[in-house]
Amino acid sequence: MNNRKIITIPQYSLTLSEKQELMLPILKEQLIRAEDFNPHIKSWFNKIKFNPKNFLKVDDIPFIPSQMFKYFDLGIVPSEKIERVLHSSSTTSQMPSKVPLDKETAFVQSIALSSILESYIGESRKPFLVFDHPGINTLGRELTARGAGVRGLSILAKETYYVLKKQHDNKLVIDWAVLAEIAEKHKGESIFGFGFTYIIWSIFIQQFQNKPKDFLLPPIDFKEISIFHSGGWKKLEEVSVSKNIFSNSIAEIFQTSTKNILDFYGMAEQGGVIFVDCEHGYKHVPNHVTIKIIDPYSLETVSLGETGLIQVTSSLASSYYGQSILTEDIGVIKGIDDCPCGRKGERFIFQSRVEKAEIRGCGDTFRPYTEKML
């Protein structure tokens, strides 16, 4: 079994134990290569006495705090094989994470993401509505989280439309001409969209709701629309905008049900992995991923139903140490293989970001090595 085979299995059809069994040999091979190639990782493994050749369970894989991507090169392949470097949005720090992607990692992460989306909107390609401006998806070796989000979800796009544009003063505004074109051209069709939550609220929803009453716009009448959105909840909470208010507002604009407004949780360091809400309000863990909840003080795994830091283990990252990452996010696993929606695996709730998170220890084990990568 390899990553390319795992991502062809229908999403959410594997139990947690089945996922772990399939992922284990892939992860072992990746970790052996990581230790051999990267001196930072070798130093860390030596100090925590972890041998990638003989661990027995997925749960035994040591996590790396997501902050380490800000300070260290965590690549596990030669630099000439890196095709793109993904930068996190760095909303809580001026220093973004840097995630190196080779051709194989980029490919499997793209296909994995596609399989997740298909389980929510079907396999057919549809017109794709982007709540952002075209400039965020420019070609190049460097790519931001916003651009990566658009590029990732566009894999199921028949046509792509950017409904915002940037003015000369860099202010983002609705591109009414594009919105009118979509409403006219795709009336009665099924479409899907994506945007960052705060951008959708602060720009698209606010400008749409405040447009002049005599403003002429073709009726928005799609057969169905699914809108994926992520990030920015802290900013919305600061202005007293709840998830219900957000979902009701965007659903009203597009004349659809709030069940089609799909909040998801993801991170730049774990490409190809998004955790989307089901109709019962739980975020689901796909076939190529497992999660645990970690006590932020003891760094031990908590019991089912208890709150802590979200740890994400994935087999998709063959070009960098993405095998097990401790996030700066708080969540709680509510059940395993038992969601009423029928999806197998872990179901959880994302609660919040950690304020100024700093996980001590890991960085110190890396720091003695300052030489360049081989």
Side-chain angles (χ1 to χ4, degrees):
M1 181 64 69
N2 56 37
N3 275 323
R4 294 197 177 206
K5 289 184 178 180
I6 288 181
I7 59 181
T8 63
I9 299 172
Q11 275 299 352
Y12 311 111
S13 63
L14 299 178
T15 65
L16 174 58
S17 61
E18 289 171 338
K19 289 194 296 183
Q20 292 174 327
E21 182 179 354
L22 292 177
M23 291 169 60
L24 182 61
I26 302 172
L27 289 164
K28 183 170 289 190
E29 179 183 337
Q30 292 171 346
L31 293 176
I32 292 172
R33 186 170 71 250
E35 181 185 47
D36 290 342
F37 180 81
N38 191 309
H40 301 312
I41 295 170
K42 184 177 182 64
S43 171
W44 175 39
F45 283 179
N46 286 340
K47 291 187 177 182
I48 64 174
K49 295 180 172 53
F50 174 75
N51 187 338
K53 296 182 177 67
N54 62 16
F55 72 96
L56 301 176
K57 299 183 298 181
V58 170
D59 284 345
D60 293 336
I61 299 173
F63 60 73
I64 185 171
S66 58
Q67 288 183 358
M68 294 298 101
F69 285 87
K70 302 177 187 295
Y71 305 106
F72 297 98
D73 182 350
L74 298 178
I76 58 176
V77 295
S79 58
E80 60 268 22
K81 290 190 175 182
I82 300 302
E83 294 195 340
R84 183 173 299 117
V85 178
L86 174 61
H87 289 188
S88 70
S89 56
S90 64
T91 54
T92 58
S93 168
Q94 295 303 312
M95 185 184 298
S97 295
K98 297 180 180 179
V99 184
L101 304 175
D102 66 358
K103 185 175 182 179
E104 177 65 15
T105 299
F107 174 79
V108 297
Q109 288 184 350
S110 175
I111 300 302
L113 179 58
S114 174
S115 69
I116 294 171
L117 296 175
E118 287 174 359
S119 74
Y120 286 88
I121 64 174
E123 298 180 6
S124 63
R125 290 181 175 271
K126 300 175 177 63
F128 180 38
L129 202 62
V130 179
F131 295 89
D132 218 316
H133 68 99
I136 53 95
N137 191 19
T138 55
L139 296 175
R141 194 171 187 270
E142 306 293 321
L143 187 64
T144 66
R146 280 166 64 184
V150 173
R151 193 168 297 184
L153 271 72
S154 67
I155 194 168
L156 293 181
K158 181 169 68 175
E159 299 173 77
T160 300
Y161 298 91
Y162 294 85
V163 297
L164 302 183
K165 62 182 179 180
K166 185 179 286 189
Q167 298 185 144
H168 294 302
D169 60 0
N170 286 328
K171 180 181 178 181
L172 288 178
V173 297
I174 293 177
D175 191 329
W176 295 104
V178 170
L179 194 58
E181 178 186 356
I182 296 167
E184 287 184 340
K185 185 176 180 180
H186 298 292
K187 180 179 180 180
E189 295 185 32
S190 297
I191 72 171
F192 74 109
F194 164 73
F196 278 78
T197 309
Y198 184 72
I199 292 177
I200 295 177
W201 172 262
S202 63
I203 297 171
F204 182 82
I205 292 177
Q206 298 304 305
Q207 292 182 16
F208 193 98
Q209 291 179 340
N210 293 314
K211 68 182 185 301
K213 292 184 178 181
D214 58 351
F215 185 86
L216 296 178
L217 183 71
I220 297 177
D221 184 20
F222 302 118
K223 178 181 178 181
E224 59 183 359
I225 180 171
S226 299
I227 297 177
F228 296 87
H229 65 97
S230 179
W233 282 114
K234 181 179 178 180
K235 291 183 178 180
L236 291 187
E237 289 170 0
E238 291 172 355
V239 292
S240 300
V241 176
S242 67
K243 193 171 183 177
N244 284 338
I245 291 174
F246 175 89
S247 296
N248 285 328
S249 298
I250 193 71
E252 182 179 356
I253 289 174
F254 288 99
Q255 300 298 300
T256 189
S257 168
T258 55
K259 70 181 178 123
N260 296 322
I261 311 302
L262 301 166
D263 178 42
F264 71 84
Y265 163 65
M267 53 192 294
E269 296 85 0
Q270 288 283 21
V273 180
I274 61 173
F275 307 98
V276 186
D277 280 356
C278 73
E279 57 268 35
H280 297 280
Y282 299 111
K283 288 180 169 31
H284 283 271
V285 182
N287 290 342
H288 47 278
V289 183
T290 65
I291 70 165
K292 293 196 299 182
I293 304 298
I294 304 297
D295 183 284
Y297 301 103
S298 68
L299 297 184
E300 298 294 331
T301 304
V302 305
S303 300
L304 185 69
E306 293 184 353
T307 298
L309 294 169
I310 300 170
Q311 177 189 342
V312 181
T313 300
S314 170
S315 63
L316 296 184
S318 57
S319 60
Y320 64 93
Y321 194 92
Q323 285 68 38
S324 186
I325 298 175
L326 185 64
T327 74
E328 299 174 359
D329 302 310
I330 299 292
V332 54
I333 296 177
K334 304 298 286 187
I336 296 173
D337 304 327
D338 63 355
C339 188
C341 75
R343 293 176 174 87
K344 301 288 181 60
E346 311 93 305
R347 57 184 174 97
F348 73 102
I349 293 175
F350 168 83
Q351 292 187 337
S352 66
R353 295 277 292 173
V354 174
E355 291 290 339
K356 298 181 180 179
E358 182 179 357
I359 308 302
R360 300 183 181 274
C362 243
D364 294 334
T365 67
F366 283 9
R367 212 167 296 280
Y369 288 91
T370 58
E371 62 263 39
K372 293 182 179 179
M373 304 305 296
L374 299 178

